Amino acid sequence: MSASGFTQRAKVAMTQSNMQSPTKATALSEDVASHRQAITAVLAAIDAGELAAATRHLCDDVTVLFGNFEPLIGAAAFTQLFAQFTCSLQAVRHEIHDIWPAANDLDILIATLTAHYTITDGRRVSLPCCNVFRMSGGLIAEYRVYMDISPALAAQ
């Protein structure tokens, strides 16, 4: 067999092995859309100061990792963390740039965003951020925040 014939057969085999049934592809697409919706709802609830609404999208035993702080376990710990941080702020707004699933696990989603903070004295700080979410049963089981929060803390 010639090299070009081998290459053509390899391309066909790879294409066939990567094809999914329309039903499976639709279900996966719906799962990713549902996950995106839950992430967007959590961020919107945080922005509105409605932490109880945010926890409706979290597993009871959610693991929250914020920067280099110790991990927190549970929706109550999540509420306490954000309540403590936001009490010194006038406003929080998450500007979502993109949310996409990990290539090898559609239950892991990555969100790039800018977190806009308004300090109680009116100063504003905007910080780039990358969050990683692990979903389980339609809820957020793991919530990782990768950002340098020190400019917002220094502004307080």
Side-chain angles (χ1 to χ4, degrees), residues 11-156:
K11 285 181 184 177
V12 170
M14 286 176 58
T15 301
Q16 289 173 345
S17 69
N18 288 331
M19 291 174 64
Q20 298 175 354
S21 71
T23 304
K24 185 174 181 182
T26 301
L28 293 175
S29 177
E30 288 172 359
D31 284 348
V32 170
S34 174
H35 294 343
R36 283 185 177 133
Q37 193 172 32
I39 291 165
T40 301
V42 164
L43 295 172
I46 291 169
D47 292 353
E50 299 172 358
L51 298 179
T55 62
R56 287 188 214 119
H57 301 281
L58 306 176
C59 292
D60 290 339
D61 62 346
V62 63
T63 299
V64 180
L65 296 133
F66 194 104
N68 60 351
F69 295 104
E70 289 295 316
L72 300 170
I73 308 295
F78 168 88
T79 301
Q80 186 177 17
L81 170 72
F82 280 94
Q84 182 181 5
F85 177 65
T86 57
C87 74
S88 60
L89 300 172
Q90 278 183 7
V92 176
R93 183 175 61 86
H94 292 92
E95 178 186 353
I96 301 170
H97 303 297
D98 201 5
I99 301 174
W100 71 92
N104 63 343
D105 188 342
L106 297 180
D107 284 334
I108 297 174
L109 283 90
I110 299 99
T112 56
L113 48 114
T114 301
H116 301 281
Y117 300 109
T118 304
I119 312 304
T120 53
D121 65 4
R123 288 180 292 154
R124 295 184 179 158
V125 178
S126 296
L127 302 171
C129 183
C130 180
N131 292 358
V132 178
F133 301 89
R134 179 180 298 278
M135 307 299 290
S136 177
L139 298 173
I140 297 170
E142 192 172 306
Y143 186 150
R144 295 175 177 256
V145 179
Y146 295 98
M147 72 182 301
D148 178 7
I149 193 70
S150 59
L153 298 175
Q156 294 181 10

